[in-house]
Amino acid sequence: MNMVWLNGWGLSSRYVERIARELYPDSLHSVVSPVSTWVEDLSWQGSGQVLVGYSLGAFLLLSRPEIGARFRRVALLAPFHDFRAEAGRGGRVRKAQLAYLLRWLSRNRMEGLRDFWSRAELENPENPNELRTSDLEWGIQRLLKSSAHESAGNGIQAYVGDQDTLLDAEELKHRFKKFTVVSGAGHDLKPLARAAKLAE
């Protein structure tokens, strides 16, 4: 089985590949970064069996839902229609926090990344040198300035942890027809990807 992963913000492809191979060792995995060329990069993957959007990657897929039509199954892990807490559409992070992180990246990107990893309670992020500051800034700009359409993702299975510090699972469950709250999970990829049972 082929699985294509559209990654989240601030995480290397190797991080996702390691988790994907650990959970689904019999599948072939490709990871696409959430950068300005993501639509083109994803098109190079061709048609696949499973498309997984994680965090920012899930948000990008919600902004272009037609892209998932090439895949047998689409799963959204830690998705949201708007990351800004002020919008009341699933995100818990305030615009001022995003703007501060954007400035922080230009001053000391590693400190900014470590702060995000800590707040998101991510386990063992690795290979941050793979990430370009301009791509990180692009991602934060998207979160600051855009949102997905309310109806986007209605037919797609979404998975959100009930302990997610960045997302409001109670708010999000009203925005997806197919919604699973993962008990004990936060924003970290591994428990969400395991709960989704992507190889079935």
Side-chain angles (χ1 to χ4, degrees):
M1 179 179 293
N2 298 322
M3 295 187 187
V4 180
W5 303 71
L6 184 54
N7 202 357
W9 187 87
L11 297 171
S12 70
S13 295
R14 293 184 189 181
Y15 175 75
V16 176
E17 287 169 358
R18 175 176 58 79
I19 292 172
R21 287 196 303 266
E22 181 181 338
L23 294 178
Y24 303 104
D26 297 326
S27 297
L28 298 175
H29 302 281
S30 302
V31 180
V32 175
S33 298
V35 299
S36 61
T37 58
W38 73 273
V39 174
E40 180 182 356
D41 296 341
L42 195 56
S43 70
W44 283 102
Q45 301 298 323
S47 297
Q49 291 179 294
V50 179
L51 174 61
V52 185
Y54 169 53
S55 193
L56 176 56
F59 174 69
L60 294 175
L61 289 177
L62 287 171
S63 72
R64 295 287 302 273
E66 74 281 2
I67 289 175
R70 301 200 321 262
F71 295 82
R72 179 180 61 81
R73 180 183 178 191
V74 179
L76 303 178
L77 310 181
F80 47 88
H81 289 85
D82 196 311
F83 202 54
R84 299 164 292 191
E86 292 87 346
R89 298 176 65 193
R92 285 180 165 172
V93 180
R94 298 201 169 274
K95 289 189 291 185
Q97 292 173 281
L98 290 168
Y100 183 81
L101 178 55
L102 190 60
R103 295 192 298 271
W104 201 350
L105 289 171
S106 64
R107 296 195 311 269
N108 189 324
R109 79 179 201 136
M110 279 309 304
E111 284 188 4
L113 282 168
R114 289 191 188 101
D115 181 75
F116 166 73
W117 296 337
S118 175
R119 290 176 186 272
E121 300 179 348
L122 304 182
E123 291 187 14
N124 303 317
E126 55 195 24
N127 302 299
N129 290 334
E130 173 189 316
L131 308 172
R132 297 190 306 178
T133 301
S134 59
D135 292 333
L136 295 169
E137 291 173 340
W138 180 86
I140 297 299
Q141 291 281 9
R142 284 298 302 262
L143 296 176
L144 265 171
K145 297 180 179 179
S146 61
S147 60
H149 193 274
E150 286 285 346
S151 63
N154 275 344
I156 301 174
Q157 184 68 56
Y159 300 83
V160 176
D162 64 351
Q163 303 299 312
D164 197 317
T165 58
L166 305 183
L167 303 179
D168 186 339
E170 284 298 310
E171 171 63 31
L172 285 164
K173 74 179 182 182
H174 301 298
R175 299 182 175 277
F176 293 92
K177 291 181 179 177
K178 299 179 180 180
F179 189 81
T180 299
V181 176
V182 182
S183 179
H187 201 77
D188 196 46
L189 172 62
K190 190 173 180 178
L192 300 175
R194 181 189 291 115
K197 299 179 180 178
L198 298 169
E200 294 184 359

